[in-house]
Amino acid sequence: MSRISLFNDGIKVALPARYPQPSGTQVSLADGIAALQRIKAFMSPRQSNAVSELMHGEEGGFFIAKMIELDRRITDMPVTYEQNEVSDPIAYLHYFMGGSDWYITEKDMEGKGTEQAFGFACLNGDMMNAEYGFISIDELASLIIRGFMTIDLDFHFDPTPMSVIKAHLGDRYGR
């Protein structure tokens, strides 16, 4: 069991070993660190710092593999306007904080891909005002609310059609 400080506040949190590296996979810490460096613009600094520390701990195999998976997903995901003609676009990334969710269907076609992505936002469970639009991942990743809360990239989200996501949100918050 390792103990790390997640928020640079000196409070150490115990992390049990739940996610050993799957047998038969050959990924190295260097591969995970390289992947994290390529995608860190898609995360808050606190989240990327925590992941960097966690890759060195007992659960390192999980975080190394996850960063490599996310790096591939972000590299291969569509850029803005590529899903315009798709009737049921796929969300590739999910960001969350409290009852607010942002689903990214396309990364920006220019720069790091984070300046002007496109997706669906549902703030505070308000399905009546949830909408598609341009989303700045840079702004999402840089927000710190009340001095400690950040909007985080969901590591357990798999690419999902928006129809499935909207049905789930509708069931959760009411249509």
Side-chain angles (χ1 to χ4, degrees):
M1 185 173 301
S2 62
R3 297 180 68 77
I4 66 166
S5 174
L6 296 175
F7 301 108
N8 296 326
D9 56 7
I11 299 171
K12 298 288 185 177
V13 178
L15 299 171
R18 284 193 200 157
Y19 302 103
Q21 182 165 328
S23 60
T25 58
Q26 296 291 331
V27 294
S28 70
L29 177 59
D31 294 333
I33 291 170
L36 176 61
Q37 290 304 311
R38 285 188 295 271
I39 65 171
K40 72 189 294 183
F42 288 82
M43 291 182 240
S44 70
R46 290 180 180 188
Q47 189 176 29
S48 64
N49 289 342
V51 168
S52 180
E53 283 193 47
L54 290 165
M55 285 195 296
H56 292 84
E58 291 180 48
E59 295 180 8
F62 169 80
F63 287 98
I64 291 166
K66 186 54 70 174
M67 293 306 104
I68 292 169
E69 173 192 329
L70 284 169
D71 181 33
R72 287 184 191 132
R73 184 184 309 167
I74 289 168
T75 298
D76 295 341
M77 72 185 285
V79 296
T80 43
Y81 308 112
E82 279 190 358
Q83 292 196 77
N84 267 5
E85 303 302 317
V86 176
S87 62
D88 192 11
I90 305 292
Y92 289 87
L93 302 174
H94 172 231
Y95 291 85
F96 65 95
M97 188 205 62
S100 296
D101 297 279
W102 296 264
Y103 296 91
I104 307 300
T105 58
E106 300 166 340
K107 65 183 177 182
D108 195 348
M109 66 174 66
E110 297 177 2
K112 301 175 297 205
T114 58
E115 293 86 355
Q116 188 174 322
F118 191 81
F120 184 79
C122 179
L123 305 180
N124 300 312
D126 182 0
M127 287 299 291
M128 289 190 68
N129 291 302
E131 64 183 354
Y132 284 99
F134 289 99
I135 299 168
S136 170
I137 295 172
D138 287 338
E139 286 182 22
L140 290 180
S142 67
L143 284 175
I144 300 174
I145 299 146
R146 294 189 180 164
F148 67 94
M149 293 187 298
T150 58
I151 296 171
D152 291 317
L153 176 61
D154 184 351
F155 293 158
H156 301 286
F157 179 77
D158 292 319
T160 305
M162 283 306 304
S163 62
V164 173
I165 292 167
K166 288 167 130 184
H168 172 72
L169 290 172
D171 291 344
R172 186 176 182 194
Y173 298 119
R175 300 194 191 271

